[in-house]
mmCIF file with all atom_site columns, all heavy atoms in Angstrom:
data_model
loop_
_atom_site.group_PDB
_atom_site.id
_atom_site.type_symbol
_atom_site.label_atom_id
_atom_site.label_alt_id
_atom_site.label_comp_id
_atom_site.label_asym_id
_atom_site.label_entity_id
_atom_site.label_seq_id
_atom_site.pdbx_PDB_ins_code
_atom_site.Cartn_x
_atom_site.Cartn_y
_atom_site.Cartn_z
_atom_site.occupancy
_atom_site.B_iso_or_equiv
_atom_site.pdbx_formal_charge
_atom_site.auth_seq_id
_atom_site.auth_comp_id
_atom_site.auth_asym_id
_atom_site.auth_atom_id
_atom_site.pdbx_PDB_model_num
ATOM 1   N N   . LYS A 1 19 ? -10.677 -13.256 36.570 1.00 97.00 ? 35 LYS A N   1
ATOM 2   C CA  . LYS A 1 19 ? -9.897  -12.303 37.417 1.00 97.00 ? 35 LYS A CA  1
ATOM 3   C C   . LYS A 1 19 ? -9.167  -12.961 38.607 1.00 97.00 ? 35 LYS A C   1
ATOM 4   O O   . LYS A 1 19 ? -8.345  -12.311 39.251 1.00 97.00 ? 35 LYS A O   1
ATOM 5   C CB  . LYS A 1 19 ? -10.818 -11.212 37.910 1.00 97.00 ? 35 LYS A CB  1
ATOM 6   C CG  . LYS A 1 19 ? -11.320 -10.262 36.810 1.00 97.00 ? 35 LYS A CG  1
ATOM 7   C CD  . LYS A 1 19 ? -12.345 -9.274  37.343 1.00 97.00 ? 35 LYS A CD  1
ATOM 8   C CE  . LYS A 1 19 ? -12.982 -8.462  36.252 1.00 97.00 ? 35 LYS A CE  1
ATOM 9   N NZ  . LYS A 1 19 ? -13.998 -7.531  36.709 1.00 97.00 ? 35 LYS A NZ  1
ATOM 10  N N   . LEU A 1 20 ? -9.557  -14.233 38.872 1.00 98.00 ? 36 LEU A N   1
ATOM 11  C CA  . LEU A 1 20 ? -8.816  -14.934 39.955 1.00 98.00 ? 36 LEU A CA  1
ATOM 12  C C   . LEU A 1 20 ? -7.498  -15.518 39.474 1.00 98.00 ? 36 LEU A C   1
ATOM 13  O O   . LEU A 1 20 ? -6.645  -15.870 40.247 1.00 98.00 ? 36 LEU A O   1
ATOM 14  C CB  . LEU A 1 20 ? -9.690  -16.092 40.426 1.00 98.00 ? 36 LEU A CB  1
ATOM 15  C CG  . LEU A 1 20 ? -11.040 -15.717 41.015 1.00 98.00 ? 36 LEU A CG  1
ATOM 16  C CD1 . LEU A 1 20 ? -11.853 -16.942 41.344 1.00 98.00 ? 36 LEU A CD1 1
ATOM 17  C CD2 . LEU A 1 20 ? -10.839 -14.851 42.264 1.00 98.00 ? 36 LEU A CD2 1
ATOM 18  N N   . LEU A 1 21 ? -7.255  -15.513 38.121 1.00 98.00 ? 37 LEU A N   1
ATOM 19  C CA  . LEU A 1 21 ? -6.035  -16.028 37.560 1.00 98.00 ? 37 LEU A CA  1
ATOM 20  C C   . LEU A 1 21 ? -4.884  -15.012 37.805 1.00 98.00 ? 37 LEU A C   1
ATOM 21  O O   . LEU A 1 21 ? -5.162  -13.807 38.069 1.00 98.00 ? 37 LEU A O   1
ATOM 22  C CB  . LEU A 1 21 ? -6.181  -16.248 36.053 1.00 98.00 ? 37 LEU A CB  1
ATOM 23  C CG  . LEU A 1 21 ? -7.185  -17.329 35.615 1.00 98.00 ? 37 LEU A CG  1
ATOM 24  C CD1 . LEU A 1 21 ? -7.350  -17.314 34.160 1.00 98.00 ? 37 LEU A CD1 1
ATOM 25  C CD2 . LEU A 1 21 ? -6.749  -18.734 36.098 1.00 98.00 ? 37 LEU A CD2 1
ATOM 26  N N   . PRO A 1 22 ? -3.621  -15.494 37.799 1.00 98.00 ? 38 PRO A N   1
ATOM 27  C CA  . PRO A 1 22 ? -2.531  -14.543 38.039 1.00 98.00 ? 38 PRO A CA  1
ATOM 28  C C   . PRO A 1 22 ? -2.438  -13.467 36.880 1.00 98.00 ? 38 PRO A C   1
ATOM 29  O O   . PRO A 1 22 ? -2.801  -13.772 35.751 1.00 98.00 ? 38 PRO A O   1
ATOM 30  C CB  . PRO A 1 22 ? -1.341  -15.509 37.966 1.00 98.00 ? 38 PRO A CB  1
ATOM 31  C CG  . PRO A 1 22 ? -1.837  -16.841 38.168 1.00 98.00 ? 38 PRO A CG  1
ATOM 32  C CD  . PRO A 1 22 ? -3.192  -16.876 37.625 1.00 98.00 ? 38 PRO A CD  1
ATOM 33  N N   . MET A 1 23 ? -2.005  -12.237 37.264 1.00 97.00 ? 39 MET A N   1
ATOM 34  C CA  . MET A 1 23 ? -1.751  -11.230 36.347 1.00 97.00 ? 39 MET A CA  1
ATOM 35  C C   . MET A 1 23 ? -0.335  -11.318 35.846 1.00 97.00 ? 39 MET A C   1
ATOM 36  O O   . MET A 1 23 ? 0.586   -11.784 36.499 1.00 97.00 ? 39 MET A O   1
ATOM 37  C CB  . MET A 1 23 ? -1.958  -9.839  36.947 1.00 97.00 ? 39 MET A CB  1
ATOM 38  C CG  . MET A 1 23 ? -3.475  -9.524  37.246 1.00 97.00 ? 39 MET A CG  1
ATOM 39  S SD  . MET A 1 23 ? -3.649  -7.834  37.790 1.00 97.00 ? 39 MET A SD  1
ATOM 40  C CE  . MET A 1 23 ? -3.472  -6.942  36.219 1.00 97.00 ? 39 MET A CE  1
ATOM 41  N N   . HIS A 1 24 ? -0.138  -10.939 34.570 1.00 98.00 ? 40 HIS A N   1
ATOM 42  C CA  . HIS A 1 24 ? 1.180   -10.976 33.963 1.00 98.00 ? 40 HIS A CA  1
ATOM 43  C C   . HIS A 1 24 ? 1.664   -9.602  33.524 1.00 98.00 ? 40 HIS A C   1
ATOM 44  O O   . HIS A 1 24 ? 0.825   -8.682  33.334 1.00 98.00 ? 40 HIS A O   1
ATOM 45  C CB  . HIS A 1 24 ? 1.135   -11.871 32.728 1.00 98.00 ? 40 HIS A CB  1
ATOM 46  C CG  . HIS A 1 24 ? 0.715   -13.245 33.046 1.00 98.00 ? 40 HIS A CG  1
ATOM 47  N ND1 . HIS A 1 24 ? 1.574   -14.238 33.517 1.00 98.00 ? 40 HIS A ND1 1
ATOM 48  C CD2 . HIS A 1 24 ? -0.511  -13.875 32.962 1.00 98.00 ? 40 HIS A CD2 1
ATOM 49  C CE1 . HIS A 1 24 ? 0.956   -15.342 33.700 1.00 98.00 ? 40 HIS A CE1 1
ATOM 50  N NE2 . HIS A 1 24 ? -0.345  -15.176 33.380 1.00 98.00 ? 40 HIS A NE2 1
ATOM 51  N N   . ASN A 1 25 ? 2.974   -9.466  33.403 1.00 97.00 ? 41 ASN A N   1
ATOM 52  C CA  . ASN A 1 25 ? 3.518   -8.220  32.823 1.00 97.00 ? 41 ASN A CA  1
ATOM 53  C C   . ASN A 1 25 ? 3.285   -8.191  31.335 1.00 97.00 ? 41 ASN A C   1
ATOM 54  O O   . ASN A 1 25 ? 4.109   -8.435  30.507 1.00 97.00 ? 41 ASN A O   1
ATOM 55  C CB  . ASN A 1 25 ? 5.077   -8.118  33.086 1.00 97.00 ? 41 ASN A CB  1
ATOM 56  C CG  . ASN A 1 25 ? 5.304   -7.590  34.522 1.00 97.00 ? 41 ASN A CG  1
ATOM 57  O OD1 . ASN A 1 25 ? 4.407   -7.094  35.158 1.00 97.00 ? 41 ASN A OD1 1
ATOM 58  N ND2 . ASN A 1 25 ? 6.526   -7.751  34.937 1.00 97.00 ? 41 ASN A ND2 1
ATOM 59  N N   . ARG A 1 26 ? 2.028   -7.961  31.047 1.00 98.00 ? 42 ARG A N   1
ATOM 60  C CA  . ARG A 1 26 ? 1.604   -8.091  29.645 1.00 98.00 ? 42 ARG A CA  1
ATOM 61  C C   . ARG A 1 26 ? 0.805   -6.821  29.213 1.00 98.00 ? 42 ARG A C   1
ATOM 62  O O   . ARG A 1 26 ? -0.005  -6.303  29.931 1.00 98.00 ? 42 ARG A O   1
ATOM 63  C CB  . ARG A 1 26 ? 0.693   -9.264  29.456 1.00 98.00 ? 42 ARG A CB  1
ATOM 64  C CG  . ARG A 1 26 ? 0.269   -9.489  27.991 1.00 98.00 ? 42 ARG A CG  1
ATOM 65  C CD  . ARG A 1 26 ? -0.831  -10.525 27.885 1.00 98.00 ? 42 ARG A CD  1
ATOM 66  N NE  . ARG A 1 26 ? -0.456  -11.883 28.354 1.00 98.00 ? 42 ARG A NE  1
ATOM 67  C CZ  . ARG A 1 26 ? -1.111  -12.545 29.216 1.00 98.00 ? 42 ARG A CZ  1
ATOM 68  N NH1 . ARG A 1 26 ? -2.173  -12.055 29.818 1.00 98.00 ? 42 ARG A NH1 1
ATOM 69  N NH2 . ARG A 1 26 ? -0.629  -13.720 29.611 1.00 98.00 ? 42 ARG A NH2 1
ATOM 70  N N   . LEU A 1 27 ? 1.091   -6.367  27.977 1.00 98.00 ? 43 LEU A N   1
ATOM 71  C CA  . LEU A 1 27 ? 0.385   -5.289  27.350 1.00 98.00 ? 43 LEU A CA  1
ATOM 72  C C   . LEU A 1 27 ? -0.483  -5.855  26.222 1.00 98.00 ? 43 LEU A C   1
ATOM 73  O O   . LEU A 1 27 ? 0.056   -6.554  25.360 1.00 98.00 ? 43 LEU A O   1
ATOM 74  C CB  . LEU A 1 27 ? 1.329   -4.167  26.813 1.00 98.00 ? 43 LEU A CB  1
ATOM 75  C CG  . LEU A 1 27 ? 0.750   -3.119  25.943 1.00 98.00 ? 43 LEU A CG  1
ATOM 76  C CD1 . LEU A 1 27 ? -0.219  -2.276  26.710 1.00 98.00 ? 43 LEU A CD1 1
ATOM 77  C CD2 . LEU A 1 27 ? 1.898   -2.269  25.346 1.00 98.00 ? 43 LEU A CD2 1
ATOM 78  N N   . VAL A 1 28 ? -1.761  -5.626  26.238 1.00 98.00 ? 44 VAL A N   1
ATOM 79  C CA  . VAL A 1 28 ? -2.598  -6.153  25.135 1.00 98.00 ? 44 VAL A CA  1
ATOM 80  C C   . VAL A 1 28 ? -3.109  -4.954  24.323 1.00 98.00 ? 44 VAL A C   1
ATOM 81  O O   . VAL A 1 28 ? -3.582  -3.985  24.872 1.00 98.00 ? 44 VAL A O   1
ATOM 82  C CB  . VAL A 1 28 ? -3.800  -7.011  25.758 1.00 98.00 ? 44 VAL A CB  1
ATOM 83  C CG1 . VAL A 1 28 ? -4.648  -6.248  26.731 1.00 98.00 ? 44 VAL A CG1 1
ATOM 84  C CG2 . VAL A 1 28 ? -4.623  -7.532  24.600 1.00 98.00 ? 44 VAL A CG2 1
ATOM 85  N N   . LEU A 1 29 ? -2.938  -5.040  23.015 1.00 98.00 ? 45 LEU A N   1
ATOM 86  C CA  . LEU A 1 29 ? -3.332  -4.046  22.105 1.00 98.00 ? 45 LEU A CA  1
ATOM 87  C C   . LEU A 1 29 ? -4.584  -4.550  21.352 1.00 98.00 ? 45 LEU A C   1
ATOM 88  O O   . LEU A 1 29 ? -4.553  -5.632  20.694 1.00 98.00 ? 45 LEU A O   1
ATOM 89  C CB  . LEU A 1 29 ? -2.230  -3.705  21.107 1.00 98.00 ? 45 LEU A CB  1
ATOM 90  C CG  . LEU A 1 29 ? -0.839  -3.397  21.625 1.00 98.00 ? 45 LEU A CG  1
ATOM 91  C CD1 . LEU A 1 29 ? 0.166   -3.213  20.559 1.00 98.00 ? 45 LEU A CD1 1
ATOM 92  C CD2 . LEU A 1 29 ? -0.882  -2.216  22.559 1.00 98.00 ? 45 LEU A CD2 1
ATOM 93  N N   . MET A 1 30 ? -5.692  -3.850  21.397 1.00 96.00 ? 46 MET A N   1
ATOM 94  C CA  . MET A 1 30 ? -6.983  -4.386  20.953 1.00 96.00 ? 46 MET A CA  1
ATOM 95  C C   . MET A 1 30 ? -7.679  -3.325  19.975 1.00 96.00 ? 46 MET A C   1
ATOM 96  O O   . MET A 1 30 ? -7.708  -2.160  20.372 1.00 96.00 ? 46 MET A O   1
ATOM 97  C CB  . MET A 1 30 ? -7.906  -4.666  22.118 1.00 96.00 ? 46 MET A CB  1
ATOM 98  C CG  . MET A 1 30 ? -7.288  -5.416  23.225 1.00 96.00 ? 46 MET A CG  1
ATOM 99  S SD  . MET A 1 30 ? -8.429  -5.611  24.612 1.00 96.00 ? 46 MET A SD  1
ATOM 100 C CE  . MET A 1 30 ? -9.421  -6.957  24.043 1.00 96.00 ? 46 MET A CE  1
ATOM 101 N N   . THR A 1 31 ? -8.236  -3.853  18.933 1.00 94.00 ? 47 THR A N   1
ATOM 102 C CA  . THR A 1 31 ? -9.068  -2.980  18.043 1.00 94.00 ? 47 THR A CA  1
ATOM 103 C C   . THR A 1 31 ? -10.195 -3.816  17.493 1.00 94.00 ? 47 THR A C   1
ATOM 104 O O   . THR A 1 31 ? -10.018 -5.045  17.237 1.00 94.00 ? 47 THR A O   1
ATOM 105 C CB  . THR A 1 31 ? -8.254  -2.333  16.905 1.00 94.00 ? 47 THR A CB  1
ATOM 106 O OG1 . THR A 1 31 ? -9.076  -1.458  16.133 1.00 94.00 ? 47 THR A OG1 1
ATOM 107 C CG2 . THR A 1 31 ? -7.666  -3.315  15.976 1.00 94.00 ? 47 THR A CG2 1
#
Side-chain angles (χ1 to χ4, degrees):
K35 291 174 184 177
L36 299 175
L37 297 172
M39 288 187 76
H40 300 277
N41 278 347
R42 181 193 297 127
L43 169 65
V44 56
L45 310 176
M46 313 175 80
T47 185

